[in-house]
Amino acid sequence: MRRLRKALGLVQGEKRKFNKKDVTETVLKDEKHLHIPLITAERAWAYYMQLKFEANAEPRKKFHMMNRLRKAKKYADQLDALCADSTRVDARTKLETKAYCCWLTGTLYFETAKWSEAQGMLSQAKTIYDSLCQAVGEEEGNLFKQNLIGRISPILQGIWIRAVESKSLKVGKSLKIGKNRIKSEFIFY
């Protein structure tokens, strides 16, 4: 992270003095400036995943795990706001950052057992990724389907199962569970 900031001229301090430098619209000159909030969000996400694995043995790590996920969501929100407000970012990047932000937010809601909010955010992310799959080439579209949509569909199934267990789900249409896909309309209340 320090190396990236140094290369972009956004070093946050000298030897003994700290000066916080956020990436804003005025600082955004190159697409590499978008890497700073993206990498910080990915760092927090990776640490969350590590703590999630370790939380099985030590229950106290669950609190730290949730804080890291909240921090990843915060950085993803910053990235999304930066891209949405910028005129230097193309439409595809704006869609990708919006979907990424929705995915992290939906994952946070899933971990905090807010089923209706999680279902809404993850469905929105899945819709954006589906539209991106159709807009890009076949090879890149397959990467979206395998990596990103493949992560969202099992979480949506988990939401449905947990919501049925907690009886906070009313099924609007018949549920069809295919290969890692849910095709139904469900309403939470």
Side-chain angles (χ1 to χ4, degrees), residues 32-137:
K32 290 183 181 180
H33 285 90
L34 294 176
H35 290 173
I36 292 175
L38 177 64
I39 288 175
T40 51
E42 285 292 314
R43 270 179 58 200
W45 169 256
Y47 194 32
Y48 153 76
M49 291 302 289
Q50 177 187 347
L51 289 171
K52 187 174 183 178
F53 178 73
E54 294 172 359
N56 295 333
E58 298 176 43
R60 286 292 304 165
K61 292 206 175 192
K62 183 160 176 88
F63 298 106
H64 192 192
M65 173 188 81
M66 293 306 297
N67 286 335
R68 294 311 297 183
L69 184 56
R70 283 185 188 97
K71 191 167 277 197
K73 181 200 172 293
K74 180 182 88 169
Y75 288 126
D77 286 339
Q78 286 177 358
L79 177 66
D80 184 37
L82 183 67
C83 288
D85 295 340
S86 177
T87 57
R88 298 177 185 170
V89 178
D90 62 339
R92 179 179 171 187
T93 304
K94 288 180 182 182
L95 279 176
E96 285 181 14
T97 57
K98 181 66 177 169
Y100 180 71
C101 182
C102 289
W103 174 65
L104 274 178
T105 305
T107 304
L108 177 65
Y109 288 146
F110 177 76
E111 290 291 337
T112 55
K114 296 178 181 175
W115 310 125
S116 60
E117 293 92 349
Q119 187 268 336
M121 295 306 287
L122 290 170
S123 295
Q124 185 179 358
K126 188 172 184 278
T127 303
I128 294 170
Y129 282 133
D130 281 336
S131 66
L132 280 171
C133 284
Q134 294 171 359
V136 299

Side-chain angles (χ1 to χ4, degrees), residues 162-175:
R162 286 184 175 91
V164 167
E165 288 172 355
S166 67
K167 296 182 179 161
S168 65
L169 176 70
K170 178 182 176 185
V171 179
K173 293 183 182 176
S174 62
L175 177 69

Side-chain angles (χ1 to χ4, degrees), residues 139-167:
E139 185 177 315
E140 204 169 351
N142 289 337
L143 284 174
F144 273 124
K145 284 182 182 178
Q146 291 172 355
N147 295 331
L148 304 171
I149 297 174
R151 289 182 190 174
I152 295 172
S153 295
I155 296 174
L156 283 172
Q157 287 179 348
I159 290 170
W160 192 84
I161 290 168
R162 286 184 175 91
V164 167
E165 288 172 355
S166 67
K167 296 182 179 161

